[in-house]
Amino acid sequence: MTSKKQNADFLHVGEKLLAWYGLHGRDLPFRQTRDPYKIWICEIIFQQTRIEQGLQHYRNFIARFPNVQTLAAAPTDEVLLYWKGLGYYSRALNLHKAAQQILEQHKGEFPQNYDEILALKGVGKYTAAAISSICFGAHIPAVDGNFYRVLSRVFADGFDISSSSAFGYFSSLALRMMPEGKGGTFNEAMMDLGSAICRPRNPLCIDCPLNKECLAFQTGKVQDYPVKTKKQKVQDFTLSYYFVTADEKFLIRQRGEDDIWKKLYEFPNTTPEELKKYITTENKSLHKLTHRNLTIHIYKVELPETTILTELAQKENFIVSTLAEAAMKSFPKPLENYLNDLGDYF
Ligand code: SF4
């Protein structure tokens, strides 16, 4: 059972965090708004993208899709195009579907309640907590890797962050620190502290508002926390593509909804045996994806006549594309790099 004294200590840490945030919180464009649509878009963008990298994307996305209605009505390809450069395109597909879900199930009004927000496509507990606390005053901690790291260090807590109960455990710790009526600001403060000060490597403990309370810092054991025992297995896999081209045109197709790179465009994975004699170069590259090491071979097949290209496109249902047309579509990063590197090829 927690004593009143301990609870007061927890709250004291929370209050100090808020005081620091009041003075040092980052002045970001989405901090000026409580519009749940905009907070949602920014939470999804910045889940896997650093703030500095994603800010211009956020501005462009909001300028083109300023509300649920415009996003829901947009063609999928255009939504993906505005996501270009951010990677993890399934986030964009989920945003698109969730916008349509809001139109159908909530008459276009962004839901206000945590459970209803959580039911939106692609929204997890962290995002639902962030939106409901920042926009609607919910008293729910938005627990993510930042929370795990900061709380593990402040309390020198060896709870394994890779365990399935870590989310519940750190949520209850955070809840005790969260001052009443300040849920949204507390969550934003924790996000800023975790990304700007209590960084995974080289935390800036000297500048940290919690350094007097932080047990890991006070005992010189910052690098021992957080504790993580399970390592995610990394799988190796290989993909082959054929960049089949003639007369400055080449073949592409849109991927389905399975596996990685949903709805993105790609080159053919195979080419007929009789065309392999036209292979002129092979490009090999290595890519580290989340939990996968991917080797990609791209064979350039330079056909002597455009008719062979168009016949193949008809037979196999490929699209014949120019570079300019491809630039309006979204490709997985390795293929986008390949297209960018074509340079003076044509
Ligand atoms: S003192 Fe250092 S380790 Fe402790 S919370 Fe602050 S930045 Fe993190």
Side-chain angles (χ1 to χ4, degrees):
M1 202 95 137
T2 316
S3 72
K4 278 188 180 161
K5 166 80 174 67
Q6 279 173 315
N7 272 335
D9 289 346
F10 273 79
L11 269 179
H12 167 71
V13 175
E15 296 284 8
K16 276 192 90 168
L17 180 64
L18 287 183
W20 169 82
Y21 180 70
L23 293 172
H24 302 284
R26 284 177 295 181
D27 184 22
L28 299 165
F30 45 83
R31 292 265 164 88
Q32 321 300 336
T33 180
R34 288 293 178 256
D35 175 351
Y37 173 78
K38 290 183 180 147
I39 299 294
W40 173 47
I41 302 295
C42 102
E43 286 301 335
I44 300 293
I45 287 183
F46 296 115
Q47 259 166 33
Q48 266 133 335
T49 307
R50 289 211 325 268
I51 300 269
E52 303 71 35
Q53 277 177 330
L55 262 185
Q56 196 50 44
H57 281 91
Y58 168 77
R59 290 197 185 98
N60 294 344
F61 198 91
I62 290 293
R64 169 60 188 91
F65 312 112
N67 49 40
V68 167
Q69 286 72 14
T70 42
L71 179 58
T76 307
D77 273 5
E78 198 184 358
V79 177
L80 292 174
L81 192 62
Y82 273 79
W83 208 260
K84 213 168 185 168
L86 287 170
Y88 301 99
Y89 283 86
S90 56
R91 292 182 293 167
L93 290 175
N94 285 338
L95 279 177
H96 193 214
K97 285 183 182 153
Q100 293 165 346
Q101 199 182 343
I102 294 172
L103 274 196
E104 286 158 19
Q105 297 172 6
H106 302 281
K107 302 192 176 108
E109 287 287 318
F110 205 97
Q112 300 195 3
N113 156 300
Y114 172 86
D115 290 323
E116 286 177 338
I117 298 172
L118 186 62
L120 296 175
K121 182 87 180 158
V123 171
K125 288 178 187 169
Y126 162 80
T127 310
I131 300 171
S132 58
S133 65
I134 294 169
C135 305
F136 306 112
H139 195 74
I140 306 173
V143 173
D144 67 348
N146 286 320
F147 272 70
Y148 287 179
R149 188 169 60 257
V150 173
L151 298 181
S152 295
R153 288 172 174 173
V154 168
F155 300 111
D157 191 317
F159 198 96
D160 181 0
I161 63 163
S162 58
S163 104
S164 56
S165 44
F167 183 86
Y169 178 78
F170 286 104
S171 294
S172 66
L173 275 190
L175 209 47
R176 289 161 63 186
M177 290 169 65
M178 194 183 250
E180 202 56 49
K182 305 263 176 65
T185 317
F186 176 83
N187 285 331
E188 288 180 317
M190 203 66 153
M191 290 170 206
D192 272 16
L193 188 82
S195 57
I197 303 283
C198 195
R199 307 179 301 200
R201 275 183 225 103
N202 305 321
L204 305 174
C205 299
I206 299 303
D207 300 325
C208 178
L210 308 182
N211 57 16
K212 290 204 175 56
E213 291 77 12
C214 178
L215 291 176
F217 178 63
Q218 292 295 337
T219 53
K221 292 187 174 165
V222 171
Q223 290 314 325
D224 293 352
Y225 301 96
V227 172
K228 186 177 183 181
T229 56
K230 272 188 231 149
K231 282 228 160 65
Q232 206 105 38
K233 279 202 189 115
V234 177
Q235 286 181 328
D236 293 323
F237 77 111
T238 301
L239 276 178
S240 292
Y241 281 113
Y242 292 86
F243 183 72
V244 186
T245 175
D247 192 24
E248 303 191 2
K249 298 188 176 76
F250 52 92
L251 300 182
I252 60 171
R253 68 173 170 196
Q254 190 166 27
R255 290 179 63 88
E257 296 257 11
D258 300 335
D259 205 16
I260 55 170
W261 301 335
K262 295 180 182 71
K263 304 302 266 183
L264 299 193
Y265 287 82
E266 64 179 0
F267 310 144
N269 288 113
T270 57
T271 202
E273 249 345 277
E274 66 272 20
L275 297 186
K276 288 195 174 163
K277 63 183 178 223
Y278 298 122
I279 292 176
T280 53
T281 56
E282 178 193 348
N283 172 297
K284 182 181 170 190
S285 54
L286 301 173
H287 307 271
K288 284 194 187 299
L289 308 178
T290 325
H291 315 140
R292 304 194 207 198
N293 286 330
L294 170 63
T295 305
I296 293 195
H297 298 267
I298 304 179
Y299 300 93
K300 192 192 293 174
V301 185
E302 297 193 71
L303 301 176
E305 290 168 35
T306 318
T307 46
I308 312 177
L309 189 81
T310 45
E311 277 168 20
L312 189 58
Q314 278 166 5
K315 197 166 146 220
E316 304 284 345
N317 243 343
F318 289 121
I319 302 163
V320 177
S321 173
T322 61
L323 262 187
E325 287 161 350
M328 298 306 292
K329 295 182 164 55
S330 299
F331 290 78
K333 192 77 185 143
L335 303 194
E336 194 185 314
N337 290 346
Y338 183 82
L339 288 171
N340 288 339
D341 289 347
L342 278 175
D344 298 333
Y345 161 72
F346 287 129

